[in-house]
Amino acid sequence: CIPYTKVLAASKLYLYDYGEKKTISYTGNQVKYYLDGKEINMRNTPGIIIDGNSLASFRDVFVKSDIGADFDYNQSTGVVNLKLNGTTIKYTVGSKTAYVNGKKATLPIAPKKLKIKSRGYSQIFVPARFTAEALGYNYVYNSANASASMTSPMNLYYNGKQVAYSGTRGSVSVDGKMVNLGDTPS
């Protein structure tokens, strides 16, 4: 048995880029995103790859999914603020500079305002890896099947603060037998 993997590529997407004020004929891979092994509903707005970076609709992947971030968007300034578990990311459409909790960060690619012509509405696309990791999620991209897997952090509360822990998770065995830890992290 060989698992079947579907890669969305061959179909063209006609994207209107508001920053460049032109229509792009996108024929690259259309990225699917997964959260804790479950596919995120992209609502007919697949992720795209530009200059080797995955860009995703922030609303579909980080707000409307089980991630459930809050946001505000100022259309006149192009500023998007994503907020989750005490982390705020401030993006400006067209700028490679972002702010994570007020601290300046350089993005691998600037967020873009794009309209998928066949869908008739525009979305703000942000760098998926940067966004996921800034919010505390582990992020792995698989180029073979154009998919990105995100793993939720453990939300711990200690020393009076909420902490999104995304480090190594351990397991326990006694005399070679695994011990079921239930909901207790290790």
Side-chain angles (χ1 to χ4, degrees):
C1 292
I2 297 174
Y4 172 71
T5 304
K6 180 180 178 184
V7 177
L8 298 173
S11 63
K12 281 186 186 180
L13 283 178
Y14 292 99
L15 306 169
Y16 181 76
D17 185 327
Y18 287 86
E20 295 180 23
K21 294 180 174 46
K22 69 177 185 178
T23 299
I24 301 165
S25 175
Y26 179 81
T27 57
N29 287 338
Q30 296 177 26
V31 183
K32 289 185 174 265
Y33 298 92
Y34 294 83
L35 176 62
D36 298 327
K38 181 181 168 193
E39 186 175 346
I40 294 174
N41 180 353
M42 300 300 296
R43 292 167 183 78
N44 297 315
T45 310
I48 58 175
I49 304 290
I50 296 179
D51 297 333
N53 294 284
S54 172
L55 291 168
S57 160
F58 83 87
R59 285 186 192 200
D60 290 341
V61 175
F62 299 103
V63 175
K64 293 181 180 178
S65 73
D66 287 343
I67 292 173
D70 292 322
F71 80 96
D72 57 72
Y73 170 57
N74 184 321
Q75 188 172 358
S76 63
T77 62
V79 172
V80 174
N81 290 297
L82 277 179
K83 301 170 192 168
L84 183 69
N85 296 329
T87 299
T88 300
I89 307 170
K90 178 183 176 184
Y91 295 106
T92 302
V93 173
S95 173
K96 282 188 165 187
T97 300
Y99 294 88
V100 179
N101 292 337
K103 185 176 177 184
K104 186 177 180 178
T106 301
L107 301 171
I109 188 167
K112 293 182 170 284
K113 182 177 180 181
L114 302 170
K115 178 176 165 179
I116 298 177
K117 291 251 185 173
S118 65
R119 309 304 189 284
Y121 54 88
S122 61
Q123 294 275 355
I124 305 299
F125 284 74
V126 297
R129 175 183 296 278
F130 177 89
T131 305
E133 290 176 350
L135 293 174
Y137 289 79
N138 287 323
Y139 182 97
V140 176
Y141 180 73
N142 183 333
S143 60
N145 64 4
S147 67
S149 298
M150 294 176 282
T151 306
S152 296
M154 278 193 292
N155 290 310
L156 304 176
Y157 185 81
Y158 62 89
N159 292 339
K161 295 193 297 186
Q162 173 111 6
V163 177
Y165 177 78
S166 60
T168 303
R169 298 181 189 192
S171 59
V172 177
S173 65
V174 177
D175 296 328
K177 294 183 182 179
M178 295 303 295
V179 175
N180 182 352
L181 301 175
D183 292 336
T184 307
S186 59

